[in-house]
Amino acid sequence: MHLSAQLIGECLTLIPGIQNRLAEIPWRRRGLGIASLMLPAFILGSSALLPSSASAQCNGDDCGFSTCSTPAFAADSALWGELQPAVPGQLPINRDTTGFNGVGSFEVNPYWQSLDPENGWLFSVADLRFQIWDITSNPASPTAVEDAAFSQLGLSWTPDAHAFDVFTDIDAPEGNSNLVAVSGRYGMGMAVFDTTVKDSPVIRYQDVGLGLGRWADAVYSTRINGRDYAFVGAEQDTGGAFVYDLTEASQLGSTCVEQQPGDSTPCSNVFLGQLGSRITAFYIDGVGDFVALSSTVFPRGFEIWNVSNPASPSKVMDALSTTGVYALSMFLADGEHYIAMRTTSDFRIYNVECITNGSCSPGSPVWSRTLPSIAGDTMVTDSISGGQPFLYIGTDSWCIDGNQHEWVYDVSNPANPRDITPPNTSVVNGESVSYWGWYYRPNGVHGFNRVKPRMAKFAGDYLYRAANSILDVHQRVGVTAPTANFDWSPNLVYPGTLIDFNDLSQGAPSSWAWTFSPDGNPGSSNARNPSGVAFPSTGTKTISLTASNSAGNDSESMNLEVLSPDPVVASVSASPNPALLCQPITFTAQGVTGQPPLEFAWRILQDGTEIDTGGDVNPFVWTSGPGASTAATFTAEVTVSNGGANDAVRTSPGVSLQPLAALPAAGTFTPTYVGAPDPPTQPEVQFQLNVAGATEWNWDFGDGSGFQGWTSDPVSGPNPTFTYQFAGIYSVQVQVRNCAEGARTSATLELDMTNSTPLIADFEPQIFFCQPPICQADTNDPITFTDKSSGSPQSWDYDWNGDGNFEDTDNAAAVTSHSYSSAGVYRPRLRVRRPGIEDIDTTDVLINVGGQALDPRLQITGATNVQVGDETDFFAIGFDCLYAVDGWSWSTDGGGASTNGPDISLSWSSPGVKTVEVTNSGCAGITGELTVNVNGTPPEELFVDGFETGTVDQWTLHVGGDPGP
């Protein structure tokens, strides 16, 4: 019986302990052209692994299918707020696939991947279905007017038994619901549908790519200069970003299929070429005349292209080349261009308005926030509701728990986005749940099977969401009056200074009314963020903002002080005070105001008499000479001017100088460090040196770079911080001197950094076709392994077949490729070493080479004939199951010892046949067993010659009663 790879993955998720690890692996599902997979015999042969009424508990312990986690119901009314379900209660059956457990047809049971509302119609694609919905008649409850299975559409592609998620994205040009572009994997590429007749869409064009066929992940459609275009992001053999003329495609008289780039018979110039040279473009989006694309693998980062002439685009931004950009979206706010993106750990928004003037860099984000770790692909989509831009952030994982893994941000003010997700929580069967958390399967009694919150877009006040097993609708309601707030820059304002005001109001205002009194120029403004406002006179000014929307308004007033243009200095500080002879003293003019540009002039006074001067700096550092008087008082006088009539003059407190203590002899003093005498536990070490009379310091941290150079900094000089890159023993010395005595070198501090940097082994295979926890590969097919080890390892050892023996050892660098010459199921291990320490990591997947049937087992190795009282080592290893490294449990038949690791040392106090058993939390229902014969004290002991020879060192002991020859 041939079943889908997704079913294999679903069955494996039923194995206790595995699913928690799966959620941590950033898998991408791809194909290697394997025709089919046999459901492993150990799954079919174990009823304990199959769903049953007894195991179908509604709980949050796993992500597996549960019969009581279907059908889906809209979030409870106690959780509603600015968002609420468009229709309460149970979802319609044609928008709910939570009852599908992966056994059967993925064409019949849609898993929704993407959607796009346009002109009263909602276009959607599921894994293997193409749909068009009427959202004009009843936007809260769409009516399906077209729902076609993949096999009915007439698309050209090479069938693949594993292709249960072909369609990836769909997008219609803004304002045109008669034309839609669709992207797909497994060689489907991209296709253009004429949707003029909504219940009978027609394929006009398809580009399947070359080689294995194009795997397209994303599509963005738009109108430029009166024509419609599509931009497609793809991976695999013919990956990258590609440009298509949709208007040209719509005029084709019949379906035209080609393989681009390079097809010798193009379809009437529909294909316009590749956008740049990237070989992967997982994500693509745009706004106006600009298109952005990104990927999470090389080349990382993102690009923005000016496509005002789609046939001849120009790149205007290329940024974050070392950062994986997992999703992106371009949008307009207040007439300016922005790009939003999700990286591995955070979400960012950049103002990229500079692209309208040519090539530029994005600068710093205008806003960012930390998000939960990536658990699969992510999506960011933008849409408009009530004239306001919104961003939806989703994720492509159904194994998510907690209260929020999707966000709907009002980005009318991109520097201060507002999540409109209702903040309410409710206790359901003892568990606190939120609006979005209501839908997640691991949240148990209120979660539903395989909900992945992938994508959502507004059409009017209705938010349409493609969440894998459900296609649901939410409504934005109950808009409240805004709360007015603002700030301005620059902070220091003088007559004539141009001031920019920034609206920080909450509650989605739609209009703004500013006043700048009494003499602002201008005196008022209705812009959201007025700029270039000036006041001609000094004094206190009143800034007022009234922010309004359909629900009401709110006002806020603040005082702005316009300062005198004359320079002002509040005080001058001196540090240190007192100071050692020849020690640098820092004088700082504080509280300085005055119309720029300001100039500083310094004088050093000894008992009121000038002895030195300083330049146009602040702060000013002065160092006394070796002959300076320790009985005098020294002050610093600063004059601040700006070309006006009045200068500001201020003098520091008096500073006294203390004589230098004699420096100790070389080798009689030793540096130390925080935490001494215990060895450092972190690579960053703060050193300490207390030598009276020292005013300069020169450190050698023992890392081979020698002495670092002299410094007179009174803080970092005697107490520097240094970070070591490698473990080891370091010889640390420091030199000291002052203006009266030459350098003295300390005794050597032997610093033990052996355990300061944790050594962590970490590696993972990069394999195209994976249905966690199994990856498929062919014999002699090179597999790339990415080394992620840390802690400065010096040697890499590999146990490629996972049998417990490291056969590939003493590599001076990580091995990045390995192939298997024999069919089998492997779980390789990596051991990294440095002097005195090692660490071992086991991959989180099983590599099935050659499509082998799985034979899960646990094996114990060790001596099977031992003596009473002898310490004997045993080692356990798992085969064909995803054993947990710390999930071992031993039964030793009286041999003592206890551990959750794979190694154990046992000793028996009585003879007999002993049975050692081991289980592992990742290999449910499997026990490894080894029989050990424990021998007792021998009945007699004879020397081989039978007699005492008188020379004891020539005696030979023989055990067991046989005197030998």
Side-chain angles (χ1 to χ4, degrees):
M1 177 176 65
H2 290 82
L3 298 177
S4 73
Q6 183 151 342
L7 174 57
I8 294 174
E10 180 65 29
C11 291
L12 287 173
T13 63
L14 299 173
I15 302 176
I18 291 182
Q19 185 61 51
N20 290 337
R21 298 302 301 273
L22 300 184
E24 302 170 2
I25 309 175
W27 302 107
R28 297 188 63 81
R29 294 183 291 188
R30 305 175 183 168
L32 290 176
I34 303 172
S36 63
L37 287 177
M38 290 295 293
L39 186 65
F42 84 95
I43 294 178
L44 295 177
S46 176
S47 60
L49 300 182
L50 297 176
S52 67
S53 58
S55 63
Q57 301 293 321
C58 280
N59 56 64
D61 295 338
D62 59 53
C63 306
F65 181 85
S66 171
T67 57
C68 61
S69 291
T70 182
F73 287 81
D76 187 81
S77 60
L79 304 174
W80 298 357
E82 191 170 342
L83 280 178
Q84 68 179 46
V87 177
Q90 183 178 335
L91 268 65
I93 190 65
N94 66 340
R95 292 193 283 114
D96 180 1
T97 318
T98 58
F100 178 48
N101 65 358
V103 180
S105 171
F106 287 84
E107 278 195 307
V108 175
N109 302 277
Y111 281 149
W112 288 274
Q113 301 297 308
S114 177
L115 53 75
D116 185 42
E118 206 67 58
N119 288 0
W121 302 95
L122 178 68
F123 301 96
S124 65
V125 285
D127 282 346
L128 290 164
R129 296 195 78 82
F130 176 87
Q131 301 170 330
I132 304 176
W133 306 78
D134 177 4
I135 58 173
T136 299
S137 303
N138 185 358
S141 184
T143 301
V145 296
E146 170 64 4
D147 189 1
F150 188 90
S151 59
Q152 300 171 329
L153 294 170
L155 288 163
S156 176
W157 76 308
T158 302
D160 190 319
H162 309 122
F164 45 81
D165 61 346
V166 179
F167 287 131
T168 56
D169 199 8
I170 186 169
D171 197 34
E174 185 176 358
N176 186 357
S177 59
N178 295 329
L179 201 59
V180 65
V182 179
S183 61
R185 297 173 179 166
Y186 299 92
M188 195 217 92
M190 75 86 67
V192 181
F193 285 84
D194 182 337
T195 55
T196 303
V197 181
K198 296 299 185 284
D199 59 356
S200 299
V202 177
I203 298 176
R204 294 299 183 195
Y205 172 84
Q206 186 179 2
D207 177 11
V208 297
L210 298 172
L212 293 175
R214 178 159 296 132
W215 284 48
D217 292 285
V219 60
Y220 165 68
S221 300
T222 189
R223 174 161 293 186
I224 302 172
N225 298 326
R227 295 182 69 86
D228 294 322
Y229 296 89
F231 300 85
V232 174
E235 53 181 306
Q236 290 294 92
D237 283 2
T238 49
F242 303 93
V243 188
Y244 301 86
D245 188 330
L246 297 184
T247 299
E248 195 75 30
S250 69
Q251 297 170 359
L252 295 170
S254 59
T255 303
C256 185
V257 180
E258 60 182 350
Q259 295 177 289
Q260 293 292 357
D263 198 324
S264 59
T265 58
C267 301
S268 185
N269 299 316
V270 176
F271 177 76
L272 298 182
Q274 186 167 355
L275 194 64
S277 59
R278 282 184 175 242
I279 58 175
T280 56
F282 293 142
Y283 308 99
I284 195 162
D285 192 45
V287 62
D289 291 342
F290 298 95
V291 168
L293 55 98
S294 71
S295 59
T296 57
V297 298
F298 180 83
R300 291 181 170 87
F302 73 95
E303 299 173 4
I304 300 179
W305 290 76
N306 184 324
V307 293
S308 55
N309 181 358
S312 182
S314 62
K315 185 161 60 175
V316 292
M317 187 170 289
D318 190 346
L320 304 184
S321 60
T322 61
T323 301
V325 177
Y326 281 78
L328 55 73
S329 181
M330 288 194 74
F331 64 98
L332 290 172
D334 207 18
E336 296 195 343
H337 292 76
Y338 292 86
I339 187 168
M341 64 189 64
R342 181 162 185 177
T343 68
T344 308
S345 60
D346 66 3
F347 184 74
R348 311 175 186 180
I349 299 177
Y350 292 89
N351 183 315
V352 292
E353 180 63 16
C354 61
I355 60 177
T356 60
N357 295 316
S359 180
C360 61
S361 60
S364 300
V366 298
W367 183 81
S368 65
R369 64 154 291 175
T370 302
L371 291 179
S373 300
I374 299 292
D377 293 347
T378 61
M379 301 294 290
V380 179
T381 47
D382 62 275
S383 55
I384 301 293
S385 177
Q388 301 165 222
F390 284 85
L391 291 176
Y392 173 84
I393 308 171
T395 185
D396 191 31
S397 172
W398 66 57
C399 192
I400 53 176
D401 57 12
N403 278 335
Q404 190 168 14
H405 286 269
E406 54 196 301
W407 296 262
V408 184
Y409 277 106
D410 172 1
V411 285
S412 301
N413 180 3
N416 190 30
R418 182 177 65 91
D419 185 8
I420 67 171
T421 300
N424 308 333
T425 59
S426 181
V427 176
V428 179
N429 284 11
E431 182 178 355
S432 178
V433 62
S434 71
Y435 187 81
W436 293 126
W438 170 274
Y439 295 93
Y440 306 153
R441 166 66 181 92
N443 284 346
V445 295
H446 41 73
F448 308 105
N449 295 316
R450 293 185 174 176
V451 169
K452 293 192 227 178
R454 284 180 50 82
M455 172 183 284
K457 291 183 179 182
F458 274 108
D461 289 333
Y462 292 91
L463 181 72
Y464 298 90
R465 183 174 68 145
N468 197 59
S469 60
I470 58 175
L471 178 67
D472 61 350
V473 188
H474 304 260
Q475 186 175 8
R476 189 165 68 98
V477 297
V479 178
T480 59
T483 301
N485 190 20
F486 60 91
D487 64 11
W488 62 83
S489 63
N491 292 325
L492 298 180
V493 177
Y494 302 96
T497 299
L498 297 180
I499 312 165
D500 295 332
F501 291 90
N502 182 36
D503 172 52
L504 301 176
S505 302
Q506 297 290 324
S510 55
S511 64
W512 300 263
W514 298 82
T515 59
F516 313 107
S517 61
D519 55 353
N521 183 20
S524 63
S525 174
N526 292 321
R528 178 174 189 174
N529 298 304
S531 62
V533 179
F535 294 91
S537 62
T538 61
T540 301
K541 313 298 179 180
T542 302
I543 314 300
S544 297
L545 167 64
T546 299
S548 307
N549 61 19
S550 58
N553 60 71
D554 182 52
S555 297
E556 175 68 20
S557 294
M558 299 185 193
N559 289 334
L560 182 155
E561 193 70 26
V562 179
L563 304 172
S564 168
D566 292 339
V568 173
V569 179
S571 63
V572 177
S573 64
S575 179
N577 189 8
L580 293 174
L581 193 68
C582 297
Q583 184 177 15
I585 304 170
T586 300
F587 295 99
T588 305
Q590 297 179 326
V592 178
T593 62
Q595 188 93 42
L598 299 174
E599 294 183 357
F600 294 80
W602 294 87
R603 294 198 309 152
I604 300 298
L605 308 176
Q606 177 179 332
D607 293 333
T609 301
E610 180 182 303
I611 61 170
D612 205 349
T613 60
D616 185 14
V617 294
N618 186 37
F620 168 59
V621 178
W622 176 74
T623 303
S624 60
S629 171
T630 57
T633 298
F634 297 85
T635 56
E637 178 190 270
V638 64
T639 300
V640 180
S641 59
N642 61 2
N646 300 312
D647 295 339
V649 180
R650 184 73 68 171
T651 303
S652 74
V655 177
S656 59
L657 299 180
Q658 296 180 337
L660 294 168
L663 293 176
T668 62
F669 59 99
T670 307
T672 184
Y673 55 91
V674 174
D678 294 334
T681 58
Q682 300 294 328
E684 185 178 81
V685 179
Q686 182 177 354
F687 290 94
Q688 295 175 324
L689 182 71
N690 185 13
V691 173
T695 59
E696 292 184 84
W697 300 264
N698 185 13
W699 288 84
D700 178 357
F701 298 108
D703 64 337
S705 60
F707 285 98
Q708 304 293 298
W710 291 96
T711 176
S712 58
D713 188 290
V715 177
S716 63
N719 303 300
T721 297
F722 187 79
T723 301
Y724 289 90
Q725 301 298 318
F726 304 98
I729 307 296
Y730 293 85
S731 299
V732 180
Q733 287 184 301
V734 60
Q735 295 177 331
V736 296
R737 71 183 183 187
N738 59 37
C739 59
E741 297 185 79
R744 310 283 199 274
T745 302
S746 71
T748 299
L749 167 69
E750 297 296 335
L751 185 69
D752 185 357
M753 299 296 294
T754 304
N755 298 313
S756 63
T757 306
L759 183 65
I760 300 175
D762 188 6
F763 77 135
E764 64 181 34
Q766 306 297 319
I767 301 178
F768 282 155
F769 187 80
C770 286
Q771 184 64 39
I774 301 175
C775 288
Q776 302 290 333
D778 294 331
T779 55
N780 300 312
D781 185 13
I783 299 171
T784 298
F785 286 83
T786 300
D787 184 74
K788 303 167 75 174
S789 303
S790 58
S792 305
Q794 298 179 15
S795 297
W796 285 257
D797 307 328
Y798 294 88
D799 171 15
W800 293 114
N801 58 15
D803 65 356
N805 298 312
F806 289 90
E807 69 274 9
D808 182 3
T809 61
D810 298 322
N811 293 283
V815 177
T816 59
S817 180
H818 182 77
S819 60
Y820 292 92
S821 59
S822 302
V825 181
Y826 305 99
R827 192 183 182 198
R829 300 193 307 156
L830 164 66
R831 178 176 63 199
V832 293
R833 294 180 286 122
R834 69 187 188 204
I837 189 170
E838 67 178 41
D839 188 55
I840 296 175
D841 178 53
T842 303
T843 61
D844 289 320
V845 297
L846 304 175
I847 304 176
N848 190 340
V849 179
Q852 298 297 290
L854 299 185
D855 177 24
R857 65 190 188 279
L858 300 178
Q859 178 178 303
I860 304 174
T861 59
T864 56
N865 242 319
V866 302
Q867 287 295 120
V868 167
D870 287 353
E871 289 282 343
T872 306
D873 295 329
F874 297 90
F875 178 75
I877 190 71
F879 296 91
D880 293 11
C881 63
L882 202 65
Y883 60 87
V885 175
D886 296 321
W888 300 94
S889 179
W890 294 83
S891 175
T892 62
D893 203 0
S898 176
T899 178
N900 62 353
D903 304 281
I904 195 169
S905 182
L906 303 177
S907 173
W908 287 271
S909 59
S910 61
V913 177
K914 312 294 183 180
T915 301
V916 180
E917 295 180 337
V918 71
T919 59
N920 189 278
S921 60
C923 304
I926 305 171
T927 301
E929 185 176 295
L930 183 69
T931 299
V932 181
N933 183 33
V934 181
N935 300 303
T937 304
E940 54 182 308
E941 297 179 356
L942 298 176
F943 296 101
V944 293
D945 57 3
F947 302 95
E948 292 184 6
T949 64
T951 306
V952 178
D953 59 5
Q954 296 180 8
W955 294 356
T956 303
L957 179 66
H958 195 83
V959 179
D962 181 5

